[in-house]
Amino acid sequence: MMEEAWETLLKSYVYYKGLPVGTLAAMNPTAEALNYNQVFVRDFVPRGLACLMRPASAGGDPEIVKNFVLKTLHLQDWEKRIVNFTLGEGVMPASFKVLYDSHRQRETLVADFGGSAIGMVAPVDSGFWWIILLRSYTKCTHHYTLSEMPEVQRGMKLILNLCLSDGFDTFPTLLCADGCSMIDRRMGIYGYPIEIHAHFYFALRYSRQMLKPERDGKELIKRIDKRITAISYHSEITTGLISHN
């Protein structure tokens, strides 16, 4: 079963200019109609982790993870629009696909920032996943030069400036998993739902480990430390409530 799963994973590789940059969200006849014939950021993360954990002799491929990190970083700088509204800096794409431009006779990347998603929700969590996968790559390969690249540091800072901004705690896009209880109370109950707690917490922890304390890096590190303390406190309350119930 493991070998069959790995063969299917290899068949789902998406290539850009001859290099693997991700995997298709799904491989079936209805994939295109459902928008699943693209590389989804959050969907690629467990596959990227599999490529990092599997030995190279058995088909492990850390290069696809590196290529994915750099290509999504490149797409972060694009103008991001959803129904004529422009999103702020720092938002990572929800997904992307490779198209062949017959006019220019070359491949091009086309990013989606939530415009084709159900409900057209901006992909707030994509930045978290990107940070987590970046840290996983550097820790697994010991190639720390990737996270130290100026453009990677800049991309990480853009994500952090977005998620550490005032009011981000109560954005519906962050708290949508807890929307079931918003009828008679605010959505931000005890900080975040437990899965958002963990996601946000680890993204901040990994950023703290990779961020270089140069220029505005020191101020960001202070803000990260402050938010980590708050999330840790709320996590203990949430976990206690779950255990009690």
Side-chain angles (χ1 to χ4, degrees), residues 128-232:
F128 296 160
W129 284 124
W130 183 85
I131 290 173
I132 291 171
L133 190 60
L134 171 64
R135 174 56 180 163
S136 300
Y137 172 85
T138 58
K139 189 173 183 179
C140 184
T141 64
H142 303 290
H143 295 165
Y144 299 103
T145 52
L146 177 64
S147 62
E148 294 172 355
M149 293 171 60
E151 56 267 40
V152 174
Q153 288 283 312
R154 176 181 175 273
M156 191 158 39
K157 289 176 181 178
L158 287 175
I159 295 171
L160 292 170
N161 281 324
L162 175 68
C163 68
L164 294 174
S165 62
D166 293 338
F168 187 77
D169 291 3
T170 52
F171 284 1
T173 44
L174 182 67
L175 299 169
C176 59
D178 202 34
C180 59
S181 61
M182 73 177 187
I183 296 175
D184 59 352
R185 71 195 88 172
R186 67 185 181 90
M187 293 176 71
I189 301 171
Y190 296 115
Y192 310 94
I194 190 64
E195 71 275 16
I196 303 300
H197 269 291
H199 196 185
F200 197 14
Y201 176 81
F202 280 108
L204 292 177
R205 281 289 301 270
Y206 292 159
S207 298
R208 180 70 172 80
Q209 295 169 5
M210 295 185 291
L211 197 62
K212 299 173 70 174
E214 300 172 355
R215 296 183 181 180
D216 55 343
K218 290 183 179 180
E219 180 60 30
L220 267 177
I221 289 174
K222 290 180 181 178
R223 294 165 64 189
I224 289 172
D225 289 341
K226 183 178 180 181
R227 187 59 60 84
I228 285 177
T229 300
I231 292 179
S232 298

Side-chain angles (χ1 to χ4, degrees), residues 68-77 92 130 151-152 155:
F68 172 86
V69 166
L70 292 176
K71 290 307 175 186
T72 48
L73 178 65
H74 169 71
L75 297 173
Q76 184 190 37
D77 280 335
M92 282 289 186
W130 183 85
E151 56 267 40
V152 174

